[in-house]
Amino acid sequence: MSNEVKESPLISVITVVFNRKNDLYETLQNIISQNHHSYEIIVIDGGSTDGTLDIINKYQDHISYWVSEPDKGIYDAMNKGIAAASGEWLNFMNAGDSYASNEIFNNIFYKNNHNENYDLVIGNTDINYGNFTRNQPVGDLINIWKGAQFIHQSVFIKRSFQLSNLYNITNKISGDFEFFYNSYKSNANIKFTPYVVSIFRAHGVSDTKRVSAVFSNMMVVLGAEGFSLKILTFYFISMSKQIITLIVKKILPNSLITRIQLKIYDRK
């Protein structure tokens, strides 16, 4: 084992999956391609029946811990992953998502290893829509009351901090937003890295149920801030936009929707 590995903290990569064998295969392939070996892979499967277990067995030599059993939702599964992890840092790279390069761990934890006093290290994201990809830089956290300003897969979380701040399993859609919102409001020590950390595949749970996700985010913010006409107005407009978007997507052909998206994101 090289000196580079010895000097680097152990990173626990937690992958949550349920009946997504092809996506899991791609994600595991991506993780093990990292040019850094001070990491462990934790796989939490919700009791898949589609052959996902075959993929897990194929990669069992690379997986430090895995379990396949029913759970109470994605955040319950994530909490299980936290409990099983032994790394100093955690990253959630769920089935279908991937790291943007095979140097991510080295870039963040070896070349620039000054993260000891931080609770969260947050990077940028490339969002893959299938027909195109767009870059999503980290937003200004002062606006986190409006919703997530970054993608979960692009965040490394100090395990000691995460153990004291587990995910709320009763918040079925935006438990991760609740965690990050509360972390920011409680003055967690946050570091931003300029690297594009992950490639996030759009159309996940919170994407296909955007109206419910926006409503759930609103309830998190109102629960913390109390009644606010400003917050209610912002989220009413946001939910209205999401409803209109859903209607448009049902009416228009996918090819036209893609052209509209490309226009919105200034891509040719």
Side-chain angles (χ1 to χ4, degrees), residues 96-192:
D97 303 318
S98 59
Y99 292 107
S101 83
N102 60 7
E103 293 291 338
I104 292 301
F105 295 167
N106 283 336
N107 288 339
I108 295 177
F109 293 103
Y110 177 65
K111 296 177 182 178
N112 300 285
N113 192 11
H114 303 289
N115 305 311
E116 294 85 356
N117 297 323
Y118 293 97
D119 300 311
L120 308 171
V121 176
I122 304 174
N124 302 317
T125 307
D126 282 342
I127 301 180
N128 180 4
Y129 289 88
N131 295 316
F132 69 97
T133 299
R134 71 177 178 90
N135 179 257
Q136 179 67 56
V138 178
D140 190 336
L141 294 192
I142 198 171
N143 294 319
I144 198 168
W145 67 272
K146 296 180 179 180
Q149 300 298 305
F150 48 83
I151 301 298
H152 197 161
Q153 283 79 344
S154 292
V155 183
F156 291 91
I157 306 165
K158 184 71 73 67
R159 179 171 173 266
S160 57
F161 179 78
Q162 182 81 88
L163 283 170
S164 299
N165 299 274
L166 296 176
Y167 296 96
N168 177 6
I169 66 173
T170 65
N171 187 342
K172 299 297 185 181
I173 297 179
S174 63
D176 49 351
F177 171 73
E178 181 176 352
F179 162 71
F180 289 120
Y181 181 82
N182 290 337
S183 297
Y184 173 73
K185 296 296 289 186
S186 62
N187 297 313
N189 292 321
I190 300 173
K191 177 181 179 179
F192 301 101

Side-chain angles (χ1 to χ4, degrees), residues 19-230:
N19 283 340
R20 294 176 65 183
K21 64 177 182 179
N22 294 332
D23 290 339
L24 178 63
Y25 170 79
E26 294 175 7
T27 297
L28 291 177
Q29 280 281 89
N30 175 265
I31 296 170
I32 65 176
S33 73
Q34 284 291 312
N35 291 329
H36 176 106
H37 300 286
S38 186
Y39 69 86
E40 63 177 6
I41 300 175
I42 310 293
V43 178
I44 308 298
D45 175 64
S48 294
T49 57
D50 69 334
T52 292
L53 295 186
D54 295 333
I55 303 300
I56 293 175
N57 287 323
K58 179 178 180 179
Y59 285 92
Q60 62 181 339
D61 290 343
H62 298 278
I63 297 173
S64 298
Y65 173 88
W66 68 273
V67 66
S68 179
E69 62 186 14
D71 52 53
K72 298 176 183 178
I74 187 170
Y75 300 112
D76 181 39
M78 289 164 69
N79 285 341
K80 290 181 182 180
I82 295 165
S86 57
E88 181 179 348
W89 291 91
L90 310 178
N91 175 257
F92 290 90
M93 190 57 63
N94 293 336
D97 303 318
S98 59
Y99 292 107
S101 83
N102 60 7
E103 293 291 338
I104 292 301
F105 295 167
N106 283 336
N107 288 339
I108 295 177
F109 293 103
Y110 177 65
K111 296 177 182 178
N112 300 285
N113 192 11
H114 303 289
N115 305 311
E116 294 85 356
N117 297 323
Y118 293 97
D119 300 311
L120 308 171
V121 176
I122 304 174
N124 302 317
T125 307
D126 282 342
I127 301 180
N128 180 4
Y129 289 88
N131 295 316
F132 69 97
T133 299
R134 71 177 178 90
N135 179 257
Q136 179 67 56
V138 178
D140 190 336
L141 294 192
I142 198 171
N143 294 319
I144 198 168
W145 67 272
K146 296 180 179 180
Q149 300 298 305
F150 48 83
I151 301 298
H152 197 161
Q153 283 79 344
S154 292
V155 183
F156 291 91
I157 306 165
K158 184 71 73 67
R159 179 171 173 266
S160 57
F161 179 78
Q162 182 81 88
L163 283 170
S164 299
N165 299 274
L166 296 176
Y167 296 96
N168 177 6
I169 66 173
T170 65
N171 187 342
K172 299 297 185 181
I173 297 179
S174 63
D176 49 351
F177 171 73
E178 181 176 352
F179 162 71
F180 289 120
Y181 181 82
N182 290 337
S183 297
Y184 173 73
K185 296 296 289 186
S186 62
N187 297 313
N189 292 321
I190 300 173
K191 177 181 179 179
F192 301 101
T193 178
Y195 297 105
V196 175
V197 173
S198 71
I199 301 173
F200 172 73
R201 186 175 295 177
H203 315 304
V205 172
S206 293
D207 193 60
T208 56
K209 299 180 179 179
R210 284 305 306 169
V211 177
S212 296
V214 173
F215 179 80
S216 181
N217 287 358
M218 179 185 72
M219 297 307 294
V220 168
V221 177
L222 288 175
E225 304 293 339
F227 177 82
S228 167
L229 185 59
K230 174 183 176 182

Side-chain angles (χ1 to χ4, degrees), residues 6-19:
K6 291 179 181 177
E7 296 172 1
S8 302
L10 180 65
I11 303 160
S12 296
V13 183
I14 301 171
T15 297
V16 172
V17 61
F18 179 65
N19 283 340

